[in-house]
């Protein structure tokens, strides 16, 4: 049995370890090289680096600019009606405050899908009590539906005044943000379908305004908001796609007009007949599908292609 000095044995171990490390490095390098070989090599002037939303094509820029003016106008009208709510509450006129509330919420619903693009703004302004485990007692329950609850259920003018003040503060902030923002055409087109989806999600079943029962007014607001977008891009939509979309809007409005009291006022949701509710649901479902295909019809890309 050969004998080694301590220094020789240590050297042998270090050499072995070095060989092992070199071998492992070679294997890793081969793996990386293999992956690199499998990746396409991009050259030339056609390379696009991801940098956020695709810019709106020039031909749609007037459409998006006009639409943002429309959003600002509706937000301003909403704020005006909220101030009417506040004025009515100060003189203890609950009935007048209730009317102003419904109108304010209609203006909000005319542009709500766009508000949803501003992060959590919609949740602050328009959260419902059933969004929270503690319902109406939850400290996060605020905005339109807290005001609605206090006006129509509790009829508490003093607490409602404080809730309206907070809603006005957030609404004024929203108005400033809208004036500074723009929207790309792909998101605008998608919003036309989002309006209809919102009706199908809550309003068709009367869940949006459970205290004021004003869902028919909000359904009309959502449909008008959706139609406004389609009217703006109408020249770009192929005729065979546009015709059924416009027909569906007409059918929806005929049903809703049967419940219309005057310009912006509708009967209470519980007056909606089962027959009309079923028909409305059917036409709205068809419309949501047709509007969801518009981006493809207009050949609008949402993401950069590689």
């Amino acid at each position: 049995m050969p004998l080694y000095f301590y220094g020789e044995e240590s050297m042998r171990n270090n050499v072995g370890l070095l060989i092992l490390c070199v071998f492992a490095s070679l294997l890793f390098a081969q793996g990386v090289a293999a992956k690199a070989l499998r990746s396409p090599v991009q050259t030339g002037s056609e390379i696009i680096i991801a940098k956020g939303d695709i810019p709106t094509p020039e031909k749609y820029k007037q459409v998006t600019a006009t639409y943002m003016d429309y959003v600002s106008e509706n937000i301003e009208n909403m704020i005006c009606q909220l101030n009417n709510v506040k004025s009515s509450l100060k003189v203890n006129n609950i009935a007048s405050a209730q009317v102003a509330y419904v109108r304010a919420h209609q203006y909000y619903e005319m542009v709500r899908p766009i508000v949803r693009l501003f992060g959590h703004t919609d949740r602050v302004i328009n959260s419902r009590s059933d969004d929270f485990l503690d319902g109406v007692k939850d400290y996060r329950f605020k905005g339109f539906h807290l005001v609605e609850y206090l006006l129509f259920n509790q009829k508490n003018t003093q607490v409602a005044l404080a809730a309206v003040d907070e809603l006005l503060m957030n609404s004024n902030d929203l108005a400033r943000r809208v004036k500074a923002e723009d929207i790309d055409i792909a998101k605008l087109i998608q919003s036309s379908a989002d309006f209809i989806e919102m009706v199908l999600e809550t309003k068709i079943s009367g869940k949006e305004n459970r205290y004021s029962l004003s869902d028919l007014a909000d359904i009309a607001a959502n449909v008008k908001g959706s139609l406004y977008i389609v009217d703006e891009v109408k020249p770009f939509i192929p005729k065979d796609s546009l015709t059924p979309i416009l027909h569906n809007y007409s059918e929806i409005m005929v049903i809703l007009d049967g419940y219309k009291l005057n310009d912006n006022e509708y009967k209470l949701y519980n007056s909606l007949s089962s027959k009309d509710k079923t028909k409305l649901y059917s036409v709205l479902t068809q419309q949501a599908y047709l509007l969801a295909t518009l981006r493809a019809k207009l050949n609008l890309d949402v993401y950069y292609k590689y």
Side-chain angles (χ1 to χ4, degrees):
M1 180 178 177
L3 296 175
Y4 302 104
F5 291 106
Y6 176 80
E8 290 178 313
E9 187 174 359
S10 176
M11 187 177 296
R12 279 172 173 264
N13 289 339
N14 289 340
V15 170
L17 184 60
L18 179 61
I19 293 171
L20 185 61
C21 289
V22 171
F23 184 72
S25 299
L26 288 172
L27 286 177
F28 178 78
Q30 285 179 342
V32 170
K35 285 186 179 181
L37 289 172
R38 288 196 295 269
S39 300
V41 178
Q42 299 186 22
T43 58
S45 61
E46 300 301 315
I47 298 176
I48 301 176
I49 299 172
K51 51 185 177 183
D53 297 326
I54 294 181
T56 295
E58 192 64 37
K59 64 179 179 178
Y60 294 116
K61 284 187 177 179
Q62 185 58 51
V63 171
T64 56
T66 300
Y67 186 76
M68 290 309 291
D69 289 339
Y70 167 81
V71 174
S72 288
E73 181 184 344
N74 277 277
I75 297 298
E76 291 298 336
N77 287 335
M78 176 191 83
I79 291 170
C80 180
Q81 290 298 331
L82 287 175
N83 279 313
N84 289 342
V85 173
K86 185 175 179 178
S87 298
S88 297
L89 288 174
K90 283 183 175 180
V91 295
N92 209 33
N93 190 339
I94 287 280
S96 178
Q98 289 174 338
V99 171
Y101 165 83
V102 172
R103 288 177 180 167
H105 200 252
Q106 277 180 286
Y107 284 120
Y108 181 70
E109 290 290 346
M110 294 276 281
V111 296
R112 187 177 167 195
I114 307 305
V115 178
R116 283 183 164 184
L117 298 176
F118 298 138
H120 71 300
T121 304
D122 182 60
R123 286 188 63 83
V124 172
I125 288 180
N126 202 61
S127 61
R128 301 197 315 273
S129 59
D130 58 1
D131 290 335
F132 311 106
L133 289 175
D134 292 332
V136 296
K137 295 180 180 178
D138 197 293
Y139 71 94
R140 292 167 296 178
F141 176 46
K142 57 183 68 178
F144 269 111
H145 294 301
L146 174 58
V147 174
E148 179 199 9
Y149 170 71
L150 294 169
L151 288 178
F152 292 87
N153 184 284
Q154 300 294 294
K155 295 183 170 57
N156 188 324
T157 57
Q158 292 307 307
V159 181
L161 261 173
V164 172
D165 277 338
E166 184 175 11
L167 178 55
L168 273 167
M169 178 186 70
N170 289 322
S171 298
N172 282 310
D173 177 66
L174 174 62
R176 288 190 295 271
R177 293 181 65 186
V178 165
K179 287 176 182 177
E181 291 289 344
D182 197 2
I183 184 172
D184 63 79
I185 188 65
K187 287 178 181 175
L188 180 59
I189 297 300
Q190 179 58 44
S191 293
S192 68
D194 291 342
F195 274 111
I196 306 301
E197 291 288 351
M198 284 165 51
V199 175
L200 292 168
E201 284 171 11
T202 56
K203 299 179 186 73
I204 193 69
S205 57
K207 292 180 180 179
E208 181 73 28
N209 301 285
R210 61 184 60 189
Y211 308 111
S212 61
L213 301 178
S214 58
D215 277 295
L216 289 179
D218 278 1
I219 290 173
N222 286 156
V223 174
K224 289 174 184 175
S226 177
L227 177 58
Y228 184 90
I229 295 173
V230 171
D231 278 342
E232 287 297 308
V233 295
K234 193 188 296 183
F236 306 101
I237 304 174
K239 188 176 180 180
D240 60 337
S241 299
L242 181 63
T243 301
I245 289 173
L246 295 180
H247 175 73
N248 282 342
Y249 280 127
S250 296
E251 276 202 58
I252 294 166
M253 294 314 297
V254 165
I255 298 170
L256 292 175
D257 283 348
Y259 297 88
K260 195 172 185 179
L261 298 174
N262 56 49
D263 231 7
N264 285 313
E265 190 177 354
Y266 289 79
K267 294 180 181 179
L268 298 182
Y269 173 80
N270 54 17
S271 66
L272 181 65
S273 70
S274 297
K275 180 182 177 181
D276 283 340
K277 181 178 177 180
T278 300
K279 188 175 181 181
L280 200 54
Y281 184 85
S282 175
V283 183
L284 285 165
T285 302
Q286 293 173 34
Q287 190 73 326
Y289 171 76
L290 291 175
L291 294 173
T293 66
L294 268 187
R295 280 196 316 212
K297 299 286 184 183
L298 297 175
N299 197 29
L300 292 170
D301 290 325
V302 182
Y303 305 107
Y304 286 107
K305 292 179 180 178
Y306 295 93

